């Protein structure tokens, strides 16, 4: 174990980054500059394809968390630049604790200095700062407007805060800028709550609805991979709900607005749930909400949002029969809706009706190539629980005949073994796969399922003659892997053919694959007593590909 400082060592960095990024990070040690140590974090810049900013957050005895503004780091990965900064810290292990102490002293000194300043001195300091920072000025102007109930200024500042254009590059808010934009949206939401608390709930309600509309219109132009803007928008929705409660808004007007939000495009941003407003809506508002949802459903019966809203309302009312009737209006050809109905009925204690609906789903979807596997599993589980293994086999057999996939074969095998009838079922299943394998396979990707099924059974003796002219490279390799001891000569021929094909591709994945094939070939030569032939083959390959240093390293690591 490498020595640790501030709670982590090289092994921790390797675990965080993965072997590949860790190895690449080693090459960036001389590219790290501007290392600045704070009490709980370290920042630096790393010079690579571009100049990247890196921050490592230290957590005592825990591994550090890292952030980098390189493309890979912005996806949430502990990148090679983070590795380089972490390794630089380990190189400077002796000085880090002293720098952290110095950081604490600086922070304490700053706090003491600020505490000692007079009101006028603090005011001058703040004014100096806001003169330099336009964004800070806008935020403070909003807080001031909210505090004095200046609705006109508050509206102007809120709309300015949620305007994404200052963060936009090429008409789009990129990932690196989404956090800053989210902070402004959260600041606007806080100002709305302040207005509500100051007796301006009606005004806050109108501003919140306007802000939510603008957010909905802009969300499609934001890379919100981490969801930070969505979280800030949720805070905006909470501010709206709070204002509704205090302002005692008209229930029917609120119902109309909520339906418009759920069925409109802006709901992607705020994810408003009308049922969160149940208390404010009251009986009359909920009734109006149900009426509007039903009308929208009639106008657009296939609409996802319309269906979702209606389902939420009916489900909340607890009327299982109404919910079943709603689901039954639009049965998915995969059987997924049948399953939902079955689950709702079972939850209501109506198990017999639930199984009837699930069986209906199996019948309705019998000819579909794809059927929701959970529905099939549901029916089979209930048959098994009722002591009906033959019926389980029947369901699995029917699905296998339609799908003819390896998964369906495995499921049939498991069911038939339980029912002690696998021998007969296997003969019929393999015959069906054999017939399928002999048909024209234009556009079919990969080798036939027949070969996969035989290999999954471990029946290599049957697989060898069947594979000729049918198997793809993946299946040939699997067959060779299973046959090193029993069919070493045949397996060796496969390995040598695949090795020859892998001489051209480059990259870590291809090199690792080539090493695996060579290890398989070595085992075959050992079984055949022809180790010298393998040595000659390996020597020739190394000479031919000697310029590929990474490949040579991988072969060395594998003992080749």
């Amino acid at each position: 174990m490498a020595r640790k400082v501030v709670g982590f060592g090289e092994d921790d960095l390797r675990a965080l980054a993965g072997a590949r990024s860790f190895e690449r990070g080693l090459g960036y040690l001389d590219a790290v500059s501007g290392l600045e140590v704070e009490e709980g974090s370290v920042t630096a810049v790393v010079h690579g394809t571009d100049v990247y900013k890196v921050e490592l957050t230290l957590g005592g005895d825990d591994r550090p968390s890292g952030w980098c503004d390189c493309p890979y780091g912005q996806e949430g990965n502990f990148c090679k630049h983070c590795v380089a900064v972490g390794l630089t810290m380990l190189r400077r292990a002796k000085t880090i604790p002293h720098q952290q102490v110095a950081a604490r002293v600086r922070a304490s000194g700053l706090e003491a200095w600020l505490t000692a300043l007079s009101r006028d001195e603090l005011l001058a300091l703040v004014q100096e700062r806001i003169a330099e920072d336009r964004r800070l000025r806008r935020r403070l102007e909003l807080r001031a407007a909210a505090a004095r109930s200046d609705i006109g200024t508050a509206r102007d500042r809120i709309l300015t805060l949620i305007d994404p254009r200052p963060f936009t590059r090429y008409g789009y808010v990129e990932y690196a800028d989404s956090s800053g934009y989210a902070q402004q949206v959260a600041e606007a939401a806080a100002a709305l709550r302040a207005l509500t608390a100051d007796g301006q709930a009606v005004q806050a309600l109108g501003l919140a609805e306007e802000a939510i509309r603008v957010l909905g219109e802009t969300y499609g132009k934001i890379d919100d991979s981490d969801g930070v803007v969505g979280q800030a928008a949720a805070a905006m929705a909470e501010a709206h709900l709070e204002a509704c409660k205090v302002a005692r808004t008209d229930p029917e007007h609120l119902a109309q607005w909520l339906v418009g939000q759920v069925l409109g495009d802006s709901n992607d941003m705020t994810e408003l749930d009308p049922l969160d407003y149940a208390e404010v809506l009251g009986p009359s508002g909920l009734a109006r909400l149900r009426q509007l949802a039903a009308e929208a459903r009639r106008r657009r019966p296939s609409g996802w949002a319309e269906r979702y809203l209606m389902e939420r309302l009916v489900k909340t009312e607890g009327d299982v029969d109404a919910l079943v009737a709603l689901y039954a209006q639009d049965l998915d050809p995969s059987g997924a809706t049948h399953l939902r109905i079955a689950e709702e009925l079972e939850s209501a204690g109506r198990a017999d009706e639930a199984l009837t609906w699930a069986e209906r789903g199996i019948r309705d979807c019998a000819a579909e190539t794809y059927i929701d596997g959970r529905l099939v599993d549901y029916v089979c589980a209930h048959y098994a629980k009722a002591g009906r293994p033959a019926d389980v086999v029947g369901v699995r057999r029917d699905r296998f005949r339609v799908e003819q996939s390896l998964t369906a074969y495995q499921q049939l095998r498991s069911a038939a073994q339980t029912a002690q009838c696998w021998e007969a079922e296997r003969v019929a299943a393999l015959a069906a796969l054999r017939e399928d394998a002999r048909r024209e396979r234009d556009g079919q990707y990969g080798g036939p399922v027949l070969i996969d099924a035989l290999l999954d059974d471990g029946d290599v003796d049957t697989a060898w003659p069947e594979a000729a002219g049918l198997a793809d490279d993946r299946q040939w390799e699997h067959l060779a892997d299973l046959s090193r001891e029993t069919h070493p000569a045949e397996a060796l021929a496969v390995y040598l053919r695949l090795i020859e094909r892998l001489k051209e591709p480059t990259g870590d994945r291809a090199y690792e694959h080539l090493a695996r094939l060579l290890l398989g070939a070595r085992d075959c030569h050992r079984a055949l007593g022809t180790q010298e032939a393998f040595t000659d083959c390996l020597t020739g390959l190394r000479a031919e590909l000697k310029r590929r240093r990474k490949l040579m390293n991988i072969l060395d690591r594998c003992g080749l």
Side-chain angles (χ1 to χ4, degrees):
M1 173 70 72
R3 69 177 171 172
K4 292 193 174 185
V5 59
V6 293
F8 69 90
E10 284 191 12
D11 291 344
D12 298 304
L13 294 176
R14 190 187 301 273
L16 284 166
R20 185 177 182 183
S21 288
F22 182 84
E23 293 298 327
R24 291 185 172 185
L26 291 171
Y28 281 83
L29 287 174
D30 295 335
V32 177
S33 65
L35 189 75
E36 185 173 345
V37 179
E38 298 295 338
E39 184 175 0
S41 65
V42 172
T43 58
V45 295
V46 181
H47 299 264
T49 308
D50 203 340
V51 179
Y52 298 114
K53 298 177 183 178
V54 175
E55 180 176 358
L56 299 187
T57 302
L58 311 176
D61 293 332
D62 296 330
R63 293 173 177 173
S65 59
W67 178 87
C68 178
D69 62 358
C70 75
Y72 189 62
Q74 288 182 17
E75 293 176 1
N77 300 297
F78 198 90
C79 66
K80 58 189 178 185
H81 307 114
C82 292
V83 171
V85 173
L87 291 172
T88 300
M89 289 183 63
L90 294 178
R91 278 184 167 186
R92 305 178 186 179
K94 292 182 179 180
T95 66
I96 295 295
H98 300 292
Q99 290 176 280
Q100 290 177 319
V101 170
R104 284 196 292 272
V105 171
R106 290 196 304 271
S108 177
L110 176 60
E111 183 177 356
W113 176 69
L114 289 172
T115 303
L117 291 177
S118 67
R119 177 182 179 279
D120 289 342
E121 289 171 326
L122 281 172
L123 181 59
L125 183 63
V126 171
Q127 288 175 334
E128 177 186 340
R129 188 70 186 90
I130 63 178
E132 297 173 351
D133 190 332
R134 186 175 298 176
R135 292 182 183 178
L136 176 61
R137 182 183 188 87
R138 287 200 298 262
R139 293 177 185 178
L140 293 180
E141 286 174 346
L142 175 55
R143 290 194 180 186
R148 65 177 186 271
S149 302
D150 182 352
I151 304 303
T153 301
R155 177 182 180 277
D156 177 65
R157 294 295 85 191
I158 286 173
L159 293 180
T160 299
L161 282 175
I162 63 177
D163 182 358
R165 285 177 295 181
F167 298 87
T168 298
R169 302 179 189 178
Y170 313 109
Y172 191 77
V173 179
E174 296 182 348
Y175 175 88
D177 299 314
S178 61
S179 179
Y181 179 62
Q183 291 176 7
Q184 292 198 176
V185 174
E187 185 75 23
L192 289 172
R193 288 194 294 272
L195 280 174
T196 298
D198 197 39
Q200 303 292 325
V202 174
Q203 291 81 354
L205 178 61
L207 288 175
E209 291 183 357
E210 187 172 3
I212 288 171
R213 177 185 59 78
V214 174
L215 286 171
E217 292 172 352
T218 62
Y219 193 57
K221 302 176 182 178
I222 301 171
D223 182 352
D224 191 27
S225 301
D226 286 346
V228 291
V229 181
Q231 291 174 5
M236 184 69 73
E238 291 171 4
H240 177 263
L241 175 57
E242 188 177 322
C244 284
K245 291 178 179 178
V246 176
R248 299 182 180 277
T249 186
D250 176 63
E252 294 198 12
H253 170 78
L254 178 59
Q256 187 97 28
W257 183 83
L258 287 169
V259 170
Q261 288 299 307
V262 173
L263 302 186
D265 296 334
S266 62
N267 198 43
D268 289 340
M269 167 66 95
T270 55
E271 296 185 356
L272 284 170
D273 186 347
L275 295 180
D276 289 340
Y277 292 77
E279 179 185 342
V280 184
L281 288 166
S284 63
L286 287 170
R288 178 59 175 160
L289 192 66
R290 174 70 182 272
Q291 179 187 1
L292 292 170
E295 291 173 358
R297 174 82 170 152
R298 283 194 294 271
R299 288 194 301 269
R300 195 176 168 214
S302 61
W304 180 90
E306 288 80 359
R307 182 171 67 248
Y308 170 78
L309 175 59
M310 197 65 192
E311 287 175 7
R312 291 278 290 126
L313 292 171
V314 173
K315 196 168 185 177
T316 302
E317 293 169 358
D319 187 340
V320 177
D321 290 319
L323 186 60
V324 169
L326 181 63
Y327 285 153
Q329 293 175 12
D330 187 17
L331 295 173
D332 192 284
S334 71
T337 319
H338 296 81
L339 177 62
R340 295 182 71 182
I341 292 173
E343 291 173 338
E344 292 292 343
L345 288 169
E346 186 163 358
S347 297
R350 296 158 64 173
D352 290 343
E353 294 176 72
L355 182 57
T356 297
W357 262 101
E359 290 172 327
R360 173 181 166 180
I362 295 292
R363 291 193 303 272
D364 290 351
C365 307
E368 297 290 335
T369 302
Y370 171 77
I371 183 173
D372 195 317
R374 297 172 302 162
L375 175 64
V376 181
D377 292 343
Y378 180 94
V379 172
C380 289
H382 281 69
Y383 284 167
K385 186 177 180 180
R388 300 165 57 183
D391 290 332
V392 177
V393 172
V395 172
R396 296 298 186 189
R397 183 195 304 123
D398 290 342
R399 288 315 309 160
F400 170 75
R401 287 173 177 170
V402 175
E403 295 180 27
Q404 294 207 352
S405 66
L406 177 60
T407 299
Y409 180 85
Q410 293 167 331
Q411 291 169 335
L412 173 60
R413 181 179 62 200
S414 177
Q417 285 174 340
T418 300
Q420 299 183 344
C421 60
W422 175 229
E423 185 175 350
E425 290 291 339
R426 182 173 187 262
V427 170
L430 290 177
L433 291 178
R434 193 170 285 112
E435 181 182 350
D436 181 64
R438 298 294 188 269
R439 292 197 197 107
E440 290 291 332
R441 303 179 61 81
D442 292 340
Q444 184 82 17
Y445 175 77
V449 176
L450 170 66
I451 308 302
D452 288 327
L454 291 170
L455 295 175
D456 198 64
D457 285 340
D459 188 357
V460 295
D461 290 334
T462 305
W464 275 107
E466 295 285 3
L470 294 174
D472 62 11
D473 286 350
R474 174 188 59 83
Q475 292 171 329
W476 277 118
E477 184 176 348
H478 190 186
L479 179 54
D481 289 342
L482 294 175
S483 306
R484 295 179 189 178
E485 297 181 6
T486 58
H487 301 76
E490 292 89 341
L492 177 59
V494 172
Y495 285 132
L496 293 178
R497 184 173 72 250
L498 297 178
I499 287 169
E500 193 63 31
R501 293 183 184 178
L502 265 180
K503 288 182 180 180
E504 289 297 325
T506 59
D508 288 3
R509 183 176 297 180
Y511 295 157
E512 295 283 357
H513 190 186
L514 183 57
R516 289 197 302 272
L517 293 173
L518 286 167
L519 289 171
R522 185 178 66 181
D523 288 345
C524 292
H525 275 293
R526 285 174 176 172
L528 294 167
T530 55
Q531 291 93 324
E532 290 184 5
F534 175 73
T535 301
D536 292 341
C537 173
L538 181 59
T539 301
L541 184 139
R542 274 182 164 274
E544 182 181 351
L545 304 178
K546 62 183 178 181
R547 295 184 181 277
R548 302 183 188 180
R549 296 183 189 177
K550 193 61 177 287
L551 173 60
M552 296 300 108
N553 291 336
I554 290 174
L555 295 181
D556 289 340
R557 191 182 72 222
C558 294
L560 293 166

